[in-house]
Amino acid sequence: MPTNLVLIGPPGVGKGTQAALLVERLGLLHLASGDIFRSEITAGTELGLKAKAFMDRGELVPDDVTIGMMEARFTSEVAKKRGFVLDGFPRTVAQAEALDCKLKSLSIEITRVVSLEIDDEIVVARLSGRRTCPNCGRIYHLQTKPPTAEGQCDNCGGALQVRADDNPDTIRNRLSVFHERSEPVLAYYAGLGRLHRVDGDRKAEDVYSDVIEGLIV
Ligand code: AMP
């Protein structure tokens, strides 16, 4: 049986970092809605144009746009892989219901939904220092995980960037959107008996161990 995981958590809790470890160690396919939106923006597509204004304000892109984009990713290609890790989707109950419906039609089951948890104030500190590489996606932090050469990606030499939505006002808005729109998604999956809660305020390796533990419970 392939391992199919959903990672849910506030911005900055480390979903991208955990997803990268899962991809590297379990060979899962990484489907990150935020990354897909950002690549659509970079490519200047119509979808990217629709999403950009919402993203810049730290709001959610409307459900119909997001669900359509993610459904297109769930083809038989996905079913044939070893499994997937969903990162940043679903973020609303309507998205979770649409996902269930789509997966059911493909006879794919979600193995576990992992809730990564952390205090809001720690998120603000984490995201204010976050730097990302636009070429390879590697994530750094000015205090806790700086690159060897300032402003330059260790992996590919790309010029590191501050994400447009990583400024304190937008971060706070994204956090309140998470509490209002995404916490009900946790209740939805808890009701289905699929939720595994993990403390996200620890070293990435410790968080990873707990994520994996959730797969064998
Ligand atoms: P992320 O990279 O996951 O932090 O997402 C960045 C931004 O992309 C979010 O603040 C939203 O504006 C948008 N976004 C990503 N995933 C979703 C989603 N599932 N539903 C709606 N908007 C999303």
Side-chain angles (χ1 to χ4, degrees), residues 8-11 57-60 63 90-95 120 171-188:
I8 301 183
R57 291 194 297 267
E59 290 168 14
L60 293 186
D63 277 342
R91 262 174 156 100
T92 66
V93 172
Q95 291 179 13
D120 285 5
I171 293 167
R172 287 190 194 282
N173 195 30
R174 286 159 67 203
L175 280 167
S176 64
V177 167
F178 175 79
H179 294 306
E180 195 183 313
R181 307 286 305 280
S182 301
E183 273 174 4
V185 180
L186 298 177
Y188 173 85

Side-chain angles (χ1 to χ4, degrees), residues 33-34 38 55 59-61 66 88-89 91 95 163 174:
S33 46
R38 279 183 289 277
M55 292 175 73
E59 290 168 14
L60 293 186
V61 178
T66 306
F89 180 88
R91 262 174 156 100
Q95 291 179 13
R163 264 176 54 173
R174 286 159 67 203

Side-chain angles (χ1 to χ4, degrees), residues 134-146:
N135 294 338
C136 70
R138 193 168 276 199
I139 305 165
Y140 298 85
H141 191 280
L142 293 186
Q143 278 81 44
T144 56
K145 196 187 165 200

Side-chain angles (χ1 to χ4, degrees), residues 15-187:
K15 298 186 294 295
T17 301
Q18 292 304 315
L21 292 172
L22 289 158
V23 168
E24 185 188 305
R25 295 176 190 178
L26 303 184
L28 303 184
L29 177 74
H30 185 198
L31 292 168
S33 46
D35 288 350
I36 299 172
F37 279 133
R38 279 183 289 277
S39 62
E40 295 281 340
I41 291 173
T42 305
T45 66
E46 198 181 320
L47 177 68
L49 275 179
K50 274 190 201 158
K52 189 173 185 318
F54 295 98
M55 292 175 73
D56 285 348
R57 291 194 297 267
E59 290 168 14
L60 293 186
V61 178
D63 277 342
D64 56 341
V65 177
T66 306
I67 290 168
M69 177 184 83
M70 293 307 283
E71 277 188 349
R73 258 72 189 177
F74 280 99
T75 56
S76 53
E77 266 303 292
V78 172
K80 277 186 250 151
K81 295 261 177 185
R82 280 184 59 195
F84 59 79
V85 51
L86 271 176
D87 161 5
F89 180 88
R91 262 174 156 100
T92 66
V93 172
Q95 291 179 13
E97 287 170 347
L99 175 66
D100 271 357
C101 208
K102 181 71 183 173
L103 293 181
K104 208 169 174 192
S105 75
L106 295 168
S107 303
I108 300 176
E109 289 220 359
I110 292 174
T111 315
R112 263 281 179 272
V113 177
V114 177
S115 165
L116 296 174
E117 311 191 340
I118 195 164
D119 281 350
D120 285 5
E121 288 315 310
I122 300 171
V123 164
V124 177
R126 274 193 183 187
L127 291 188
S128 306
R130 177 161 75 176
R131 298 291 180 271
T132 53
C133 175
N135 294 338
C136 70
R138 193 168 276 199
I139 305 165
Y140 298 85
H141 191 280
L142 293 186
Q143 278 81 44
T144 56
K145 196 187 165 200
T148 311
E150 198 183 319
Q152 200 179 320
C153 178
D154 293 348
N155 187 41
C156 72
L160 300 183
Q161 290 182 349
V162 180
R163 264 176 54 173
D165 54 356
D166 276 350
N167 65 76
D169 284 348
T170 313
I171 293 167
R172 287 190 194 282
N173 195 30
R174 286 159 67 203
L175 280 167
S176 64
V177 167
F178 175 79
H179 294 306
E180 195 183 313
R181 307 286 305 280
S182 301
E183 273 174 4
V185 180
L186 298 177

